[in-house]
Amino acid sequence: MTTTDPTRATARNATAPQPGAAADPPTRLGLLGRLGVLAAGRLRLVAVLWLALVAGLGAFAPQVTSALAGAGWQANGSESVQVRDLARAHFGGNASSALQVVVAADRPVDDPSVRAVVDRATVLLRADSRIAEVIPPQSGVTISPDGRTAILLAGARADTNDMVRAADDPKGPLAALSGGGVEVSATGASVLWSDFNKANHDAMIKSEMLSWPVTLAILVLAFGSLVAAGLPLLLTLAGLAASAGALVLLNHVTPTSVWAMNFAMMFALALGIDYALFLVVRFRAALARHGDGRRAVGETMDTAGKAVLLSGATVLVSLSAVMLVPAPAFRSMALGIMLAVAFVLAATLTLLPAVLGRLGHRVNAAAPPWTRRNADRAGASTAFTSWGQRLWRHPLRYGLPALLVLIALAAPIAGLRTAMPSITVVPEDSSARTGYTAVQQAFGRGAPGMLQIVTPTAAADATAAALAGDPGIAAVMPARHADDGSALTLLQAMPAVDPSDPHLADTVDHLRGTLPDDAKVGGAAVENLDLQATLDAKTPLVLGVVLGLGFLLLVLALQAPLAALLGTATSLLATAAAFGAARLIFQDGHGSGFLGFTPQGFLDGWAPVFFFAMIFAIAMDYTVFLLASAKEHYEKTRDPRQAVVGALGHSGRVIFAAAAVMVAVFFTFALSGPLPPKEMGIVLGLAVLLDAALVRLVLLPVLLRLTGHAAWWSPRWLRRVLPDVRFSHD
């Protein structure tokens, strides 16, 4: 029998319940506690509502991989995007999104057998309604100087996303035309994104399949029960099915990147595990004290539920900052993750308490014996409680080395370089890369990155002369005048360097400064440069918004400015350390042989913005769990020591287990062939590892130890302004 304070029991007119007996939930519950008790008593209603939601949205889920957009890697409003739109509208679709079909032969292309291949390719392309005009090979323009390579240009009638889909379909039939000394390859920006998406999607699916056995093993060890280990899968499946269907519907409103689903799956699994583990651990402790499932659910939601809600809000805020970048792919990926987080959070706050209330003591079914030995009567981990006591006694012995390691790893970030990825990110045997290589060998190094310049016809001669005199331009193609009365002219210029060469940016900047005022410079390679420039310009804003809003949310919840500042600063330090390590690996190439990739000499351009938001969201997830638990113990005892030791005892196991799952999931991406998923997996995996092992379980508790009562102090004016949020349960 558990004991109850007589005064409180009399006030509530209740007696301490016997284990397994029914008991009225406590009356002093907050909103989340009452929601949990309500859900626990109405499992059937909650389950029916969730089944209806999942079935309704899940009906659209099978379309997710085919319906979502494949492009969107552009800076909206940039000069290069304007050029692409003008070229598509006024020059037969001869824009950067047009398809290029390269026919390379061991004999002249005017040979009848080669001409027959070109004719069959032309018929195949013209049969697609998304293709505008098909321009045959032209001598001196799209026939190589040696006469053995020809390029068919298939203009873009559709938008960039539909052109990526248009590139998916003909690659196989075109490749089937190869043979007899003739090789046919589709290439160009649309084909590149098609191959890029497929290679990386396949790699991510492979990595996710490899990570599942490890994830399940860690879940059983962490939850200590086969029944409890299935709960995060329940949340993940509900969140994923709902978010997948929602993404398909969202795609009808605005183009949504196919990558949104991949990232949504990762975050749904990661947060589903985090939230379920945190609530189940607290539910077990409350159940051991009260013996009644509904009362235990109410207490769990009144304490840990608030931390989960705050964590979810912090994750959503961090990712929402990515919406400041005017690039459709980034915005839709962030939106996809936010949808998954919202659904998982909703399931955690409604479906999970309903299931826990019904399970009661059966949540411990099939529990291995070590779970009983490693937890005290209050549900705290004895191992992490002991670790907290050790940190309290010797803060500098453990805190200083952790700080030095993080600073040492963060230092290389000063020399970090970023750029958009080169052709090497797609497999060597892909259609885009095969065609790219053939064009480069036949026409010159800069041929795959042809610049497109749209100018008023009146200034066409001056523009052509300026292009011909620019040292960064190797050749200028004959001008093409619009035949729709728009008085525009399209000029194409071949740069002297490879499209991924940093000097191309200098050439583009010089042209934009010297060409006639109304001339606009674009092309696929220039679109990458404009996107990179936009990312560089927006990165400080995104980082500032993420840090600022994260700090404000912590202040709102904790009402302790110093604790909020420590949590935010340590999250930033862990993120900086991850990017410093990424520079050593992916820019400088340390360990590239072991990991199986060729360094590009830079980190992919989207990493600072997108990875930062993702890493900071995960780091703040752990921060909220630790600080909310510490605040709860401080509210009860007003003892900084109890706050630190109690927080580690009650949340250390959650942080450790959840981090282990995420590290295992992310590091499996290091096994992927293509570089982008490898880069993402290692950067995110290192970030989680450093954050959990050195920050949340060492450095942040040490800082709370050193600051003592000051960490939880709040000025009177701030307490009057902020709502009274308490994590302790009366």
Side-chain angles (χ1 to χ4, degrees):
M1 178 183 293
T2 56
T3 59
T4 309
D5 177 30
T7 304
R8 186 171 294 165
T10 301
R12 295 176 181 172
N13 193 26
T15 58
Q18 297 290 340
D24 292 333
T27 57
R28 297 181 63 182
L29 288 176
L31 178 61
L32 285 178
R34 294 196 298 272
L35 176 64
V37 171
L38 184 67
R42 293 169 175 80
L43 174 61
R44 183 172 299 177
L45 175 62
V46 174
V48 167
L49 291 175
W50 269 101
L51 282 174
L53 177 66
V54 170
L57 291 176
F60 299 96
Q63 308 172 35
V64 70
T65 55
S66 59
L68 297 188
W73 300 85
Q74 64 189 41
N76 283 351
S78 64
E79 184 173 316
S80 56
V81 171
Q82 295 176 40
V83 168
R84 186 185 67 205
D85 293 341
L86 289 170
R88 186 163 72 91
H90 301 291
F91 298 97
N94 188 16
S96 61
S97 53
L99 308 185
Q100 300 173 22
V101 177
V102 184
V103 180
D106 58 2
R107 52 194 178 277
V109 294
D110 59 1
D111 184 276
S113 61
V114 181
R115 285 205 309 270
V117 172
V118 172
D119 291 342
R120 288 197 293 272
T122 302
V123 170
L124 194 153
L125 292 170
R126 285 176 175 165
D128 195 320
S129 61
R130 294 164 295 192
I131 302 297
E133 64 178 5
V134 178
I135 303 175
Q138 299 175 343
S139 180
V141 181
T142 50
I143 296 178
S144 62
D146 66 1
R148 296 175 181 270
T149 302
I151 301 175
L152 274 166
L153 294 176
R157 174 173 285 137
D159 63 21
T160 52
N161 292 303
D162 282 336
M163 288 310 298
V164 172
R165 297 188 186 98
D168 291 335
D169 299 334
K171 286 188 294 187
L174 286 171
L177 298 177
S178 300
V182 179
E183 184 174 15
V184 182
S185 306
T187 191
S190 295
V191 181
L192 171 62
W193 286 118
S194 170
D195 288 343
F196 179 84
N197 291 337
K198 182 181 185 307
N200 289 281
H201 176 74
D202 292 347
M204 292 182 74
I205 293 298
K206 176 183 176 182
S207 297
E208 287 163 4
M209 294 299 294
L210 290 173
S211 69
W212 270 106
V214 179
T215 299
L216 292 174
I218 295 174
L219 285 178
V220 173
L221 291 172
F223 283 88
S225 161
L226 293 175
V227 173
L231 295 177
L233 302 181
L234 176 70
L235 300 182
T236 301
L237 291 175
L240 272 180
S243 57
L247 286 173
V248 174
L249 296 179
L250 178 66
N251 192 58
H252 291 288
V253 178
T254 181
T256 303
S257 174
V258 69
W259 285 82
M261 188 59 207
N262 296 112
F263 287 115
M265 183 181 299
M266 291 166 54
F267 263 72
L269 177 61
L271 296 183
I273 291 170
D274 281 5
Y275 297 162
L277 184 55
F278 195 55
L279 291 186
V280 168
V281 168
R282 300 303 296 272
F283 172 76
R284 281 171 162 167
L287 189 64
R289 288 193 300 273
H290 305 302
D292 175 65
R294 288 183 63 192
R295 184 172 180 180
V297 165
E299 180 177 318
T300 298
M301 296 299 293
D302 211 30
T303 54
K306 293 176 184 175
V308 166
L309 181 59
L310 174 61
S311 170
T314 306
V315 172
L316 291 173
V317 163
S318 297
L319 292 168
S320 67
V322 179
M323 305 293 285
L324 296 171
V325 179
F330 288 86
R331 289 178 170 176
S332 61
M333 285 189 293
L335 197 55
I337 299 176
M338 291 168 68
L339 280 173
V341 172
F343 282 119
V344 168
L345 185 61
T348 302
L349 299 178
T350 56
L351 183 58
L352 182 58
V355 174
L356 288 175
R358 177 61 61 89
L359 284 175
H361 289 280
R362 286 173 292 178
V363 74
N364 297 315
W370 66 77
T371 59
R372 294 188 292 272
R373 293 197 302 267
N374 291 343
D376 61 21
R377 295 183 63 184
S381 165
T382 54
F384 282 100
T385 298
S386 175
W387 173 245
Q389 293 169 344
R390 185 176 303 174
L391 285 179
W392 187 266
R393 290 193 301 268
H394 309 289
L396 296 182
R397 177 188 298 177
Y398 299 102
L400 191 58
L403 179 62
L404 292 176
V405 169
L406 290 168
I407 291 175
L409 288 174
I413 201 173
L416 183 66
R417 295 192 300 272
T418 59
M420 295 303 291
S422 66
I423 190 67
T424 58
V425 298
V426 296
E428 292 185 1
D429 60 350
S430 66
S431 177
R433 190 164 176 178
T434 301
Y436 182 102
T437 302
V439 168
Q440 201 166 53
Q441 291 175 346
F443 294 90
R445 287 186 56 77
M450 196 72 70
L451 305 184
Q452 293 188 310
I453 299 89
V454 174
T455 180
T457 301
D461 291 341
T463 302
L467 288 170
D470 193 290
I473 299 300
V476 180
M477 303 299 109
R480 175 176 176 175
H481 303 292
D483 53 9
D484 58 0
S486 59
L488 294 174
T489 297
L490 173 66
L491 292 162
Q492 298 196 85
M494 184 172 71
V497 296
D498 183 88
S500 60
D501 192 304
H503 290 97
L504 180 60
D506 299 331
T507 297
V508 172
D509 289 341
H510 184 256
L511 290 176
R512 285 176 169 171
T514 57
L515 293 180
D517 291 340
D518 292 330
K520 298 180 184 297
V521 182
V526 183
E527 289 175 22
N528 280 344
L529 293 175
D530 285 348
L531 176 57
Q532 182 63 57
T534 299
L535 290 172
D536 291 342
K538 293 293 184 180
T539 294
L541 175 62
V542 172
L543 269 57
V545 169
V546 169
L547 291 171
L549 292 180
F551 171 72
L552 291 176
L553 271 176
L554 286 180
V555 171
L556 176 67
L558 301 173
Q559 299 185 350
L562 182 56
L565 180 61
L566 293 176
T568 306
T570 51
S571 294
L572 179 61
L573 180 59
T575 305
F579 275 105
R583 179 232 159 148
L584 296 176
I585 296 171
F586 293 102
Q587 181 174 308
D588 299 343
H590 298 291
S592 58
F594 173 75
L595 294 170
F597 72 92
T598 301
Q600 301 182 92
F602 54 81
L603 200 64
D604 282 335
W606 53 72
V609 168
F610 199 62
F611 288 177
F612 176 85
M614 294 174 68
I615 292 170
F616 195 81
I618 296 171
M620 290 295 280
D621 188 38
Y622 297 149
T623 300
V624 168
F625 285 170
L626 185 69
L627 291 181
S629 185
K631 179 74 183 304
E632 177 185 350
H633 285 83
Y634 188 78
E635 288 172 351
K636 290 179 178 178
T637 65
R638 296 294 164 181
D639 182 356
R641 182 180 184 279
Q642 289 297 324
V644 170
V645 175
L648 282 170
H650 282 89
S651 64
R653 177 184 169 195
V654 175
I655 294 172
F656 182 83
V661 170
M662 276 197 271
V663 169
V665 170
F666 289 142
F667 276 176
T668 55
F669 290 99
L671 305 175
S672 303
L675 182 58
K678 193 186 298 287
E679 188 176 83
M680 179 192 69
I682 292 176
V683 173
L684 296 184
L686 280 174
V688 173
L689 180 63
L690 294 171
D691 184 78
L694 296 182
V695 175
R696 305 308 146 208
L697 299 179
V698 181
L699 186 58
L700 185 54
V702 165
L703 292 174
L704 294 176
R705 158 72 171 89
L706 296 176
T707 52
H709 288 285
W712 307 109
W713 174 82
S714 179
R716 186 173 301 173
W717 65 266
L718 184 62
R719 292 197 301 271
R720 287 198 301 266
V721 172
L722 297 177
D724 186 16
V725 180
R726 293 185 177 273
F727 290 92
S728 60
H729 180 75
D730 294 332

